[in-house]
Amino acid sequence: MEKGLARSAAPRVDSKESKGKMTDYKTNKIFVGGISWTTTDDGFEKFFKQFGDITDCVVMRDKVTRTSRGFGFVTFKDPLSVNKVLEKSLELDGRVLDCKPAVPKEEINQNGPPAGQKTRKIFVGGISQETSESDFKKFFMSFGNVVEAKIMTDGMTGRPRGFGFVTFDSEDPVEKITAKHHLELNGKKVECKKAVPKGRIDNGKSGNGYTQTYPTGGGYSSGGGG
């Protein structure tokens, strides 16, 4: 536990159930979502140093305001450090972190989300203009505990854009929903896919080899066709 962190914001590390052997993620880069707006760059780096030597670490920030965009990246010297991170439930500055291995851009383009990829967030497309955000959330609560449900709106007009995102407290509801793929909401068929954070996609360019856009669309893509 880092001395530089406030007592109320002390990081928490909970071990998950052991799976018997380590997974080879074939990457030393991770995407970290769910970062608190109060988390500093130094606090972020210090927290992840407990898992191994770091070659690069960044909290993505708005180019104009410099405020946190709620996600970041960590590159470890040793890929085994990725295993150490992903086998635990992590909490920093009062927020549960969403840590996942980097996903090569070509893999997303060719195959959509990696086979067996677990996520707690879904993309929902084809939402009717009459569907309110409360109706949207209430509908998906029938599948599991909803942490957040948001219908995306136009930044200028405030009108719904016809798609949204739902975050559950576990992966199970996502698996059930995406297995159906299409659901009926307020008399209209909606399409449900696993959401892949755009920040996770390794495009081989500058900025740690990751896309640095995290747009109004929740910073997530629908993970390809389906």
Side-chain angles (χ1 to χ4, degrees):
M1 196 170 291
E2 298 299 331
K3 294 180 180 178
L5 294 176
R7 186 187 183 110
S8 61
R12 193 182 78 199
V13 178
D14 295 331
S15 296
K16 294 180 181 177
E17 185 179 350
S18 174
K19 291 182 173 60
K21 65 177 182 177
M22 284 191 170
T23 302
D24 181 9
Y25 291 105
K26 299 179 180 178
T27 182
N28 59 344
K29 299 178 181 180
I30 61 169
F31 162 88
V32 183
I35 301 172
S36 169
W37 313 124
T38 63
T39 297
T40 64
D41 294 340
D42 286 344
F44 184 65
E45 182 173 1
K46 285 178 181 178
F47 177 73
F48 280 100
K49 273 185 176 178
Q50 67 182 299
F51 300 104
D53 292 336
I54 292 174
T55 60
D56 192 39
C57 185
V58 61
V59 174
M60 302 310 297
R61 298 185 178 280
D62 184 274
K63 290 181 180 179
V64 178
T65 66
R66 302 307 300 162
T67 55
S68 171
R69 297 165 81 182
F71 72 104
F73 307 101
V74 181
T75 304
F76 291 100
K77 186 175 182 181
D78 187 347
L80 289 178
S81 295
V82 173
N83 284 87
K84 294 178 183 178
V85 171
L86 300 181
E87 70 182 6
K88 301 178 185 297
S89 176
L90 306 179
E91 184 178 311
L92 176 62
D93 293 335
R95 292 287 298 273
V96 175
L97 301 177
D98 182 20
C99 302
K100 301 187 189 309
V103 180
K105 184 177 181 181
E106 59 271 18
E107 185 176 331
I108 291 292
N109 289 343
Q110 294 173 9
N111 308 317
Q117 173 183 297
K118 296 292 185 179
T119 180
R120 293 174 294 171
K121 192 164 192 171
I122 61 169
F123 163 89
V124 183
I127 304 169
S128 70
Q129 296 289 309
E130 294 74 30
T131 301
S132 67
E133 205 162 83
S134 60
D135 289 339
F136 183 59
K137 181 176 182 178
K138 194 176 297 183
F139 175 79
F140 283 101
M141 283 174 64
S142 63
F143 294 94
N145 188 32
V146 174
V147 175
E148 183 181 43
K150 188 169 185 62
I151 295 176
M152 306 315 297
T153 56
D154 184 276
M156 297 292 290
T157 66
R159 299 179 66 179
R161 296 171 64 188
F163 70 95
F165 297 88
V166 182
T167 304
F168 295 92
D169 66 351
S170 69
E171 294 91 354
D172 290 343
V174 173
E175 297 299 317
K176 293 175 184 177
I177 292 169
T178 53
K180 296 176 182 290
H181 190 55
H182 288 96
L183 300 172
E184 188 171 312
L185 172 60
N186 280 358
K188 186 176 180 182
K189 185 178 288 187
V190 295
E191 182 180 24
C192 304
K193 300 178 182 180
K194 291 181 179 179
V196 179
K198 288 186 177 181
R200 283 185 62 202
I201 303 173
D202 186 347
N203 64 4
K205 297 181 181 179
S206 59
N208 306 320
Y210 295 85
T211 56
Q212 295 191 19
T213 55
Y214 203 69
T216 314
Y220 283 73
S221 82
S222 60

